[in-house]
Amino acid sequence: QNDKNNKNRRSNRNLLGAAKLVAWALALTLVFYCTSSYMGSAGKQASNINIKYSDFIAMMEDKQVEDVTVDLSEGLLYIVPKDGYVYTAENGTAYTKSTDQDGKAVYAFTDADGKEHTAALKLFTVKMESNDTLVERMHEAGKTDYDTKYEPQMSPLLLFAINFILPFVFIMLMFSLVMRIMAKKGGMGGMGGIGGVGKANAKVYMEKQTGVTFADVAGQDEAKESLTEIIDFLHNPKKYTDIGAKLPKGALLVGPPGTGKTLLAKAVAGEANVPFFSISGSDFVEMFVGVGASRVRDLFKEAAKVAPCIVFIDEIDTIGKSRDSGRFGGNDEREQTLNQLLAEMDGFDPTKGIILLAATNRPEVLDQALLRPGRFDRRIIIDRPNLAGRLATLQVHTRNIKLAEDVNLKKVALATAGCVGADLANLVNEAALRAVRKGRKLVIQEDLLAAFELVIAGTEKKGSVLTEFEKKLVAYHEVGHAMVAYKQKNTEPVQKITIVPHTQGALGYTLLMPEEDKTELRTRDELMAKIA
């Protein structure tokens, strides 16, 4: 029954699309016909001069007429005067008839600026008498050679076909060709999605095309374990369905910026060996209401064709914000997109193997309907790495870096408490750049520690000049920090004191580094020492 309904809906959409195509072609044909008729009329008026019939009679009596052509269809007489004839228009412009080198009649005239011009014009007038009277006057004027052209009248059906049907067919064919080209290049979200507006422009990775695997992700062992189970479900669904387990519909990756949520998703694509659709939440939002919902439909439709597969939506808070009536109206584009996403997550068959991964660093703004079990069954926390995680992350990022023997990554990992994976990657890269600037071929420990200081305090402001008094003031200040830290029992040891100004506003700083990694738990004495 569902298949039958789907076929009926597709048939109705096709009929509607064909009707729209015919309507467009008819409208364009009418516009084309009216425009061509107007242009033809305007062109005739611009290139011809309508003279009075009495002036024509006077020209005949003065024997200044060289040739006359009768247009029976319009009842007009086209007059060719003899060379030297001067016609004066109502605006005072005088047109003098002559013959050019090709034997064609031309008229010379002078414009308002005094410049002379020539123009190929025709004099015409409306026929007022019968042909017999006209023939008599031609004989009186000495004209014995005259004729009127016979043009057989065209069949009304043939005339209608030429004027209407042929342009209609031509425009319809051109319109159909353009639509086919646009559909091939960008796809169409139905007839309303011209140019791929309703198309979900997701990047599709097949198997290991991302170039990232779980070996490239360190410090997130719990998250990798949860995702590994999902990947195993895709590879061996029977093992789980035999016991009655259902495939989870979605997993939400939550964590601060830079902790590796997108990297983990790419690693899943590298490990899964199934099609992987990657799209950002902002790709659903357009200025046209309804486009986001259309793109959601298209995304899940494409995913269903190649299931089992994984769909990854980065920054899902862009479209998944809570539907609060104080912020959104009834026709808000984001709200429609979210409603469509909820409907699609409820609608797809879990046995087909479509798993939705989403990443956000703002889970508190997400709609509760999006977070409930049955939509996002799992929430995977991607937190700041601990000491072992930072050490493993540094080892991953230094795999392709040439390190000196004195490098101790554990000390760097200790110093970088609270840093995320992106910070550590930036630190290693800055250390390598510093080694190149210093003319070395290996990265030493000093480069890594200097790069850490660069991350927390910025570069040294070598152009900044302090007076002796200011230097002494900064020195007393920083030594005060160091002395207080030295006298405390529950504080971290002093690693470095500097009075060199840095770009992030520090005129100097005292660097304290822990001897071992600590949890978020703090005793009263430790907090008092930190305050001191």
Side-chain angles (χ1 to χ4, degrees):
Q1 184 65 32
N2 288 335
D3 291 340
K4 186 176 180 181
N5 291 336
N6 290 333
K7 287 181 181 179
N8 290 335
R9 281 195 290 269
R10 282 196 296 270
S11 177
N12 291 336
R13 282 200 298 269
N14 292 336
L15 288 174
L16 181 61
K20 286 184 178 180
L21 192 63
V22 171
W24 272 105
L26 277 173
L28 291 174
T29 301
L30 288 174
V31 170
F32 172 78
Y33 181 76
C34 294
T35 304
S36 61
S37 300
Y38 175 77
M39 295 297 292
S41 175
K44 180 183 289 186
Q45 292 178 4
S47 60
N48 298 337
I49 297 176
N50 187 3
I51 66 173
K52 296 179 180 178
Y53 191 78
S54 57
D55 292 340
F56 168 61
I57 297 299
M59 291 171 63
M60 294 282 290
E61 292 174 349
D62 295 340
K63 299 185 178 180
Q64 291 182 328
V65 177
E66 183 176 306
D67 192 21
V68 176
T69 302
V70 181
D71 187 344
L72 293 177
S73 61
E74 295 186 358
L76 300 178
L77 303 175
Y78 290 95
I79 305 137
V80 180
K82 292 183 178 179
D83 290 349
Y85 171 75
V86 179
Y87 169 72
T88 304
E90 293 181 359
N91 59 3
T93 304
Y95 295 90
T96 304
K97 193 263 181 182
S98 62
T99 305
D100 62 7
Q101 295 177 353
D102 299 330
K104 293 181 179 179
V106 294
Y107 291 83
F109 65 95
T110 304
D111 62 13
D113 297 331
K115 295 181 181 180
E116 293 186 357
H117 301 276
T118 58
L121 303 175
K122 286 184 180 180
L123 303 183
F124 75 93
T125 186
V126 180
K127 183 162 62 89
M128 295 182 66
E129 299 184 21
S130 66
N131 285 340
D132 294 339
T133 307
L134 181 60
V135 169
E136 291 175 3
R137 291 188 177 277
M138 285 184 176
H139 274 286
E140 291 175 2
K143 296 293 297 178
T144 58
D145 186 12
Y146 47 86
D147 192 14
T148 179
K149 292 181 181 179
Y150 171 71
E151 293 184 3
Q153 293 293 320
M154 191 175 296
S155 167
L157 291 177
L158 185 60
L159 190 64
F160 178 79
I162 293 174
N163 286 338
F164 287 95
I165 296 179
L166 281 182
F168 173 78
V169 172
F170 174 74
I171 292 173
M172 195 167 178
L173 288 175
M174 291 298 296
F175 198 70
S176 177
L177 180 63
V178 170
M179 299 288 272
R180 284 175 181 269
I181 293 172
M182 291 168 67
K184 285 182 180 178
K185 285 187 175 181
M188 294 176 62
M191 288 299 294
I194 295 177
V197 172
K199 181 78 174 175
N201 301 313
K203 293 181 181 178
V204 183
Y205 300 99
M206 303 297 287
E207 299 183 354
K208 296 183 183 296
Q209 287 184 357
T210 59
V212 181
T213 63
F214 279 157
D216 301 307
V217 182
Q220 303 294 345
D221 295 334
E222 295 84 0
K224 285 199 291 185
E225 184 178 345
S226 297
L227 292 171
T228 302
E229 186 180 346
I230 291 176
I231 293 170
D232 186 48
F233 204 126
L234 289 172
H235 291 167
N236 306 295
K238 192 173 185 302
K239 181 171 66 174
Y240 295 89
T241 55
D242 284 348
I243 202 172
K246 291 183 179 179
L247 184 69
K249 283 191 175 182
L252 185 66
L253 307 179
V254 178
T259 48
K261 298 183 292 296
T262 305
L263 185 69
L264 259 175
K266 288 185 177 181
V268 169
E271 297 281 349
N273 290 331
V274 296
F276 182 88
F277 294 82
S278 177
I279 192 168
S280 174
S282 59
D283 290 335
F284 292 107
V285 181
E286 285 279 355
M287 66 177 290
F288 305 109
V289 174
V291 170
S294 174
R295 288 183 175 173
V296 171
R297 285 192 297 271
D298 184 77
L299 176 63
F300 280 88
K301 183 174 70 175
E302 294 298 322
K305 293 178 182 177
V306 294
C309 64
I310 296 175
V311 177
F312 174 60
I313 303 178
D314 202 3
E315 306 295 346
I316 195 172
D317 52 271
T318 307
I319 58 171
K321 289 181 181 177
S322 179
R323 291 168 293 179
D324 184 357
S325 60
R327 283 185 294 177
F328 296 136
N331 291 322
D332 186 82
E333 165 69 348
R334 284 190 181 90
E335 184 173 339
Q336 289 197 16
T337 306
L338 174 58
N339 289 338
Q340 187 63 43
L341 179 61
L342 297 175
E344 292 290 344
M345 291 187 72
D346 280 340
F348 68 79
D349 185 0
T351 60
K352 288 185 177 180
I354 301 177
I355 292 181
L356 184 64
L357 290 182
T360 182
N361 50 28
R362 303 171 62 201
E364 70 280 355
V365 304
L366 294 179
D367 195 275
Q368 292 302 309
L370 195 63
L371 300 176
R372 72 161 174 80
R375 291 197 174 114
F376 283 108
D377 299 286
R378 293 190 179 182
R379 179 182 291 201
I380 300 174
I381 304 300
I382 315 294
D383 208 350
R384 298 177 185 273
N386 56 18
L387 176 60
R390 291 196 301 277
L391 179 58
T393 304
L394 287 169
Q395 290 170 345
V396 167
H397 290 306
T398 55
R399 280 186 306 196
N400 299 321
I401 303 292
K402 296 179 180 178
L403 300 177
E405 293 182 357
D406 69 329
V407 170
N408 187 341
L409 292 179
K410 186 172 182 179
K411 285 188 177 180
V412 180
L414 272 171
T416 53
C419 290
V420 296
D423 295 330
L424 298 176
N426 187 33
L427 183 148
V428 171
N429 188 58
E430 289 291 344
L433 294 176
R434 186 178 188 273
V436 173
R437 285 198 301 269
K438 298 292 183 181
R440 290 191 294 272
K441 294 186 177 180
L442 297 174
V443 175
I444 62 175
Q445 183 77 359
E446 182 187 348
D447 293 326
L448 290 166
L449 294 176
F452 169 63
E453 295 175 33
L454 177 67
V455 172
I456 64 170
T459 56
E460 296 181 355
K461 293 173 67 175
K462 297 179 180 179
S464 179
V465 179
L466 296 179
T467 64
E468 289 299 320
F469 173 73
E470 289 173 331
K471 288 180 183 178
K472 187 178 291 187
L473 201 63
V474 175
Y476 273 111
H477 180 89
E478 298 304 335
V479 170
H481 281 305
M483 289 298 295
V484 171
Y486 176 72
K487 285 292 184 181
Q488 300 291 323
K489 291 182 180 180
N490 298 290
T491 189
E492 300 165 351
V494 177
Q495 177 70 23
K496 179 178 179 179
I497 309 172
T498 179
I499 60 170
V500 178
H502 285 68
T503 54
Q504 292 191 11
L507 295 176
Y509 63 87
T510 301
L511 179 61
L512 308 177
M513 290 176 59
E515 293 179 325
E516 60 182 10
D517 199 33
K518 293 184 177 181
T519 64
E520 294 298 321
L521 295 174
R522 293 289 184 270
T523 65
R524 181 181 184 279
D525 291 339
E526 287 174 336
L527 292 173
M528 293 302 292
K530 185 76 173 175
I531 292 171

